Amino acid sequence: MSIESYNPHTGRVLRRFTPFAWAKTQRILSQAHIAYKAWATTTFAHRAGVLRRAAALLRERQDALARLMALEMGKPITDGRAEVLKCATCCEYYAEHAEAFMADELIKTDAGRSFISYQPLGVVLAVMPWNFPFWQVVRFAAPALMAGNVGLLKHASNVPQCALALEKIFHDAGLPAACFRTLLVGSEQVELLLADDRVRAVTLTGSEGAGMAVAAVAGQHIKKAVLELGGSDPFIVLADADLTLAAKIAAQSRMINSGQSCIAAKRFIVEKPVYREFISQLKTHLLALRPGDPLDEATQYGPLARPDLADELTQQVEDSVKKGAKIELHGGQAKPGTALFRPMILSNVKPGQRAYAEELFGPVALVLEAKNADDAVRLANDSRFGLGAAVWTADPKKGETMARQIESGAVFINGLVKSMPELPFGGVKKSGYGRELSYLGIREFVNQKSIWVAKEVVASVKAKTE
């Protein structure tokens, strides 16, 4: 078995890597465990210096890293640059704010002094996906490293070069080598790693099935886990919304990363009076997007990351159409076994269809008709997923009221759902649990330790110093 770097645009294998033997993985884990003890004693200023240098290197190497993403998983090169720059911003954000996020939090109790102390856990294992091969990793690594943890990365097997490039950036930035390592391993070693007491926690971004498997093993070994899984994000458009802008942003949101994003809008829930006009405008915007070679600066969407992913998406669409879904925009694969998938629109999406119940991880827009705002919320919540959502309305207060009713980790009103360092990111229901980013993200992988000091001890110490 080998780990392959495969170009979905050309269909050619770029490089093959021999997976690490378990003995090598164990050596790396041992080194990481030892390195943690030293890294945890470094100052926030020292860690921040490393993260700021990493940010600078990300900016310097943005063209090469974007090219790597284009080659390995088909991301248009302009989108790749934006992803790398977002990673740099995240590194700088935690370099700036981590110390404050980790500061002792005074709590008033019956003690002379009591507070919550935030201290690192140790080795954190990250199991990451291919769709945002740098951003997904950095949003775990930046806060984890700034908290004093160390990281082991088990990346998706189709982006090994991206994984190694990020490892090199951290090492070149001055991070001790053992504090962040890429493990070129298959999924079978994840279970072995989680069984080892030196691995203290795991974070996974990926499919519902992968999340269930990792959560089961983590639970068996009593390991903290954060899961960011699939999404079938609703994009609600009320009759009073700016329809022109909503349809334009809807097309952008559905086509994020060629439709391969957990928080791409997937279910467009439109109030009846503007339903047909929305479909018409959405169709116009999707048809205007230009597919092509991901290395071409003019390309707006590339192929899906692998032909089998396109095959599976085609099957989901065909099964749904057989059960009553209507094709409003024909697109899809030119032929089976190819990775390019042109945008599609399905209407008459109903319960019992795969399109209604499953996540469609590619450029297929599902448009559902809502009777009114309450019905729109009902449809939005009629999903086992709950990651992100959007509400479009001319009445912000109404939008806020609806946002509180929607079962999801985030709701954006009159805007594109996105992740950013300042706000926590994660989901509910089958979209996972735990949070990344913001101050909540850095506190996921720390010991939130309560410290209580008796009044008489505090008084005695104070008397001696006066």
Side-chain angles (χ1 to χ4, degrees):
M1 173 193 161
S2 64
I3 292 175
E4 291 185 345
S5 177
Y6 168 88
N7 185 329
H9 179 67
T10 64
R12 296 174 182 169
V13 174
L14 304 170
R15 286 186 66 183
R16 289 186 174 90
F17 297 84
T18 301
F20 294 175
W22 175 236
K24 181 173 181 177
T25 300
Q26 284 182 301
R27 286 196 301 272
I28 292 172
L29 172 56
S30 179
Q31 292 163 0
H33 180 63
I34 293 168
Y36 157 68
K37 295 174 183 178
W39 180 249
T41 65
T42 58
T43 64
F44 283 106
H46 176 78
R47 297 174 206 164
V50 172
L51 266 289
R52 289 193 175 98
R53 286 192 292 275
L57 290 173
L58 284 163
R59 290 195 167 91
E60 286 176 16
R61 300 176 189 177
Q62 61 179 282
D63 289 337
L65 299 177
R67 178 179 173 79
L68 203 51
M69 282 186 274
L71 292 172
E72 277 202 310
M73 49 74 58
K75 190 186 296 288
I77 197 162
T78 53
D79 293 349
R81 287 195 197 97
E83 179 174 336
V84 175
L85 294 177
K86 188 173 183 177
C87 291
T89 299
C90 186
C91 288
E92 290 167 339
Y93 178 81
Y94 281 103
E96 176 70 23
H97 297 287
E99 185 170 9
F101 291 160
M102 295 280 285
D104 292 345
E105 184 177 348
L106 293 175
I107 304 293
K108 188 175 181 180
T109 68
D110 60 346
R113 173 177 161 82
S114 53
F115 58 95
I116 302 170
S117 174
Y118 300 100
Q119 297 173 313
L121 295 178
V123 179
V124 180
L125 174 64
V127 183
M128 293 288 115
W130 47 261
N131 57 336
F132 291 89
F134 288 95
W135 172 240
Q136 301 278 11
V137 179
V138 166
R139 73 188 195 194
F140 131 74
L145 292 170
M146 281 302 303
N149 295 303
V150 300
L152 296 178
L153 170 63
K154 188 279 177 213
H155 217 323
S157 58
N158 60 327
V159 289
Q161 294 189 82
C162 289
L164 293 169
L166 188 55
E167 177 189 75
K168 181 169 172 52
I169 281 172
F170 282 126
H171 293 175
D172 290 351
L175 183 71
C179 289
F180 185 91
R181 288 295 306 273
T182 284
L183 302 176
L184 296 178
V185 300
S187 57
E188 70 282 350
Q189 286 197 23
V190 171
E191 185 170 354
L192 297 174
L193 285 162
L194 288 176
D196 194 301
D197 286 342
R198 292 171 295 184
V199 173
R200 297 295 173 82
V202 60
T203 177
L204 176 141
T205 299
S207 69
E208 190 178 341
M212 290 170 65
V214 166
V217 178
Q220 180 183 352
H221 297 286
I222 315 179
K223 300 287 172 74
K224 175 67 183 288
V226 168
L227 304 179
E228 193 265 282
L229 308 178
S232 189
D233 284 10
F235 186 107
I236 295 173
V237 181
L238 298 185
D240 66 352
D242 181 338
L243 196 64
T244 301
L245 181 59
K248 179 181 178 182
I249 301 302
Q252 292 176 7
S253 184
R254 176 61 279 200
M255 294 302 293
I256 294 170
N257 201 38
S258 303
Q260 302 167 114
S261 170
C262 296
I263 54 169
K266 299 182 177 78
R267 296 180 296 138
F268 299 89
I269 300 170
V270 185
E271 209 170 1
K272 187 173 182 178
V274 294
Y275 178 76
R276 293 311 313 180
E277 179 59 25
F278 176 82
I279 290 177
S280 176
Q281 291 194 30
L282 178 62
K283 184 186 298 186
T284 298
H285 287 299
L286 291 176
L287 285 171
L289 295 172
R290 177 179 171 179
D293 185 342
L295 291 172
D296 186 339
E297 298 284 346
T299 293
Q300 293 176 293
Y301 69 93
L304 300 194
R306 300 191 313 265
D308 64 293
L309 299 172
D311 290 342
E312 171 61 17
L313 185 59
T314 295
Q315 193 62 55
Q316 288 176 299
V317 169
E318 290 178 351
D319 290 349
S320 299
V321 170
K322 286 176 183 176
K323 293 198 172 181
K326 180 184 175 184
I327 299 176
E328 299 279 353
L329 174 61
H330 290 268
Q333 281 178 298
K335 59 181 180 179
T338 57
L340 181 63
F341 197 106
R342 294 179 183 272
M344 299 186 72
I345 299 175
L346 297 183
S347 64
N348 199 43
V349 178
K350 304 288 185 182
Q353 299 169 7
R354 294 184 68 186
Y356 191 90
E358 298 176 7
E359 177 181 26
L360 272 61
F361 210 63
V364 180
L366 313 173
V367 187
L368 294 80
E369 183 180 295
K371 299 172 186 175
N372 50 42
D374 289 341
D375 192 40
V377 171
R378 178 190 67 80
L379 287 168
N381 289 340
D382 192 20
S383 170
R384 68 176 188 264
F385 299 107
L387 192 55
V391 176
W392 287 78
T393 174
D395 184 348
K397 286 190 177 296
K398 187 174 187 178
E400 284 189 32
T401 298
M402 293 174 67
R404 293 178 189 277
Q405 297 170 342
I406 293 171
E407 298 166 350
S408 66
V411 181
F412 282 57
I413 300 166
N414 296 332
L416 178 78
V417 177
K418 57 187 177 181
S419 58
M420 61 187 75
E422 299 89 347
L423 287 175
F425 184 85
V428 295
K429 301 194 286 189
K430 299 298 185 184
S431 289
Y433 49 77
R435 290 296 180 264
E436 297 176 293
L437 303 172
S438 87
Y439 72 92
L440 294 180
I442 198 171
R443 292 180 182 177
E444 286 284 4
F445 297 122
V446 296
N447 178 9
Q448 302 178 26
K449 181 187 293 183
S450 297
I451 298 180
W452 185 99
V453 184
K455 287 182 180 178
E456 57 270 23
V457 174
V458 173
S460 174
V461 171
K462 185 177 179 182
K464 289 178 181 178
T465 58
E466 288 179 346

